[in-house]
Amino acid sequence: MDFPVTRIKGGVGAPRGFQCSALSCGIKNPAAERLDLALIYSESPCTSAGTFTINRVKAAPVKLSQAHLRKGDIRAIVANSGNANACTGVQGIHDAKAMCKGVATPLGLNRSEIGVCSTGVIGLPMPMVRIESRFDDLVQGLGSGRGTEVARAIITSDTHHKEIAISFDLGGHRVRIGGCVKGAGMISPSMATMLCFITTDANVPRDTLRKGVLEGVDESFNRITIDGDMSTNDTVLVLANGRSGMPPIRRNSSLCRQFRQALRHVMLELAQAVVRDGERVTKFVTVEVKGARTYLDAKLVAEAVCKSALVKSSWNGGDPNWGRVLHAVGYSRARIREELVDIFYDGKPACLGGLQATTPMDELREIAAKPEFKIEIHLNQGDADYCMYSSDLSPEYIDFNRSEYAYWKQARKDGLV
């Protein structure tokens, strides 16, 4: 950051003029009391922007939120965990619309002013019988200081909720940005698998906000991977209500660049938190590719290394297996020359010119055994670079994801399958 920011409490509820609410519907399990339905609401009109999964199989809420953003700006977000409402056909669209209407009516908004998001198991109809009766309570529970409850309500396999809020000076006004994210599995670039909601009281015109969101997502959420799987529900939604009192940010101005930098900072913090909380992961690994001919070559190499099951397995074992890294570089489809590739673990050479370096293996093993370390891959063919954040692949990850039978068992009890 080129300017100071202050970490504050409150997550998505920290910016002025935003209220939050969350409650328990028992969406996944009627006997459970965990929060699983959340609402974010701006007291005044907003500009808004979003990005969504590029998976051609898209969940009903993704399709509906995309349609609402095409019509105009959204002012509230309703989200649930426990069920993805994905691969649910026409009924899924009806259920997503019902969720929008359920909060729009008591808020006095149009249905198209609501963004809707869902996360959980794929392929099961939403248990709307347990949700529809709670919308009035959800709206009535809106209040300031409840952003953390939203962060808690949207998690699924996450081990903890993830949120951030910052404040900083922007053109003589104190501006706040708050955000929360969920994600731990099915994480891959091209909209990494997660839900992320960000609010700000900055006064940002729609086109300026949308450009900033696209750039921020590309440099944060599209730079992470845990298991290489892309979800049907990936969504990032950003709302800006201007309640800081500042005039509109002019496009391409110094204030615009400063706001985009702050927004990117929030997104990157949340994206890295997703990787650190990955399903049964033990390592957080930064992979930085330098000296590529083109940006695309650098990106191809980084993605190949970060997605390689062999590479990720060696990270889990604390094995500095640079040969696996180099073989992933080779099949990445990037233009490389084997004899020019250098690989470093936390700055210590493991491979120079495509051959083993003289660094003692014990020193490299010590690095690979740490919970966080960095791998630099120098292609030495140009000046393009690309950075990604990844994790190891553990036996526990496989065990954790072997079955979702419990979801289907409950769905049969509900008469949904």
Side-chain angles (χ1 to χ4, degrees), residues 82-324:
N83 189 302
N85 194 10
C87 305
T88 47
V90 175
Q91 185 60 49
I93 296 294
H94 289 323
D95 292 341
K97 288 181 177 180
M99 290 184 66
C100 290
K101 183 179 179 181
V103 296
T105 299
L107 287 173
L109 302 178
N110 294 323
R111 190 179 67 191
S112 61
E113 293 181 275
I114 311 296
V116 57
C117 298
S118 299
T119 182
V121 70
I122 294 172
L124 291 178
M126 291 283 284
M128 294 302 292
V129 66
R130 293 198 292 276
I131 300 174
E132 289 180 318
S133 62
R134 303 306 308 276
F135 289 131
D136 286 342
D137 293 335
L138 186 67
V139 172
Q140 291 173 10
L142 283 168
S144 58
R146 301 191 64 185
T148 298
E149 294 180 29
V150 172
R152 290 169 51 204
I154 62 174
I155 65 174
T156 50
S157 58
D158 312 56
T159 62
H160 61 271
H161 69 275
K162 296 176 275 290
E163 65 178 355
I164 182 177
I166 62 172
S167 68
F168 56 99
D169 288 325
L170 191 62
H173 296 265
R174 198 67 181 174
V175 168
R176 299 176 181 180
I177 302 177
C180 64
V181 69
K182 68 80 52 184
M186 294 181 73
I187 302 291
S188 180
S190 297
M191 266 313 295
T193 305
M194 23 59 60
L195 301 182
C196 175
F197 309 133
I198 295 176
T199 58
T200 180
D201 49 24
N203 192 342
V204 193
R206 182 192 300 175
D207 290 345
T208 301
L209 183 63
R210 291 183 177 180
K211 181 178 179 181
V213 169
L214 288 174
E215 291 177 353
V217 166
D218 184 60
E219 295 177 4
S220 59
F221 296 117
N222 283 351
R223 302 279 183 115
I224 64 175
T225 184
I226 290 176
D227 46 24
D229 276 293
M230 186 195 307
S231 174
T232 54
N233 291 61
D234 307 335
T235 301
V236 173
L237 291 175
V238 182
L239 307 182
N241 65 9
R243 291 290 289 271
S244 62
M246 68 179 300
I249 297 175
R250 294 198 316 264
R251 190 171 184 175
N252 298 324
S253 65
S254 60
L255 294 183
C256 180
R257 290 189 291 273
Q258 188 176 345
F259 173 77
R260 288 204 304 262
Q261 189 176 359
L263 180 62
R264 176 188 175 275
H265 171 75
V266 167
M267 288 183 172
L268 187 57
E269 287 282 318
L270 292 173
Q272 292 180 351
V274 168
V275 178
R276 288 188 170 94
D277 191 34
E279 289 174 349
R280 306 308 188 263
V281 308
T282 66
K283 303 291 175 68
F284 177 91
V285 184
T286 300
V287 175
E288 187 170 355
V289 179
K290 298 181 176 180
R293 291 186 183 184
T294 66
Y295 171 87
L296 178 59
D297 283 336
K299 180 180 180 181
L300 287 171
V301 168
E303 289 189 351
V305 172
C306 286
K307 290 182 178 181
S308 167
L310 280 174
V311 171
K312 292 163 76 68
S313 296
S314 67
W315 292 344
N316 180 256
D319 179 12
N321 196 327
W322 62 267
R324 291 183 178 180

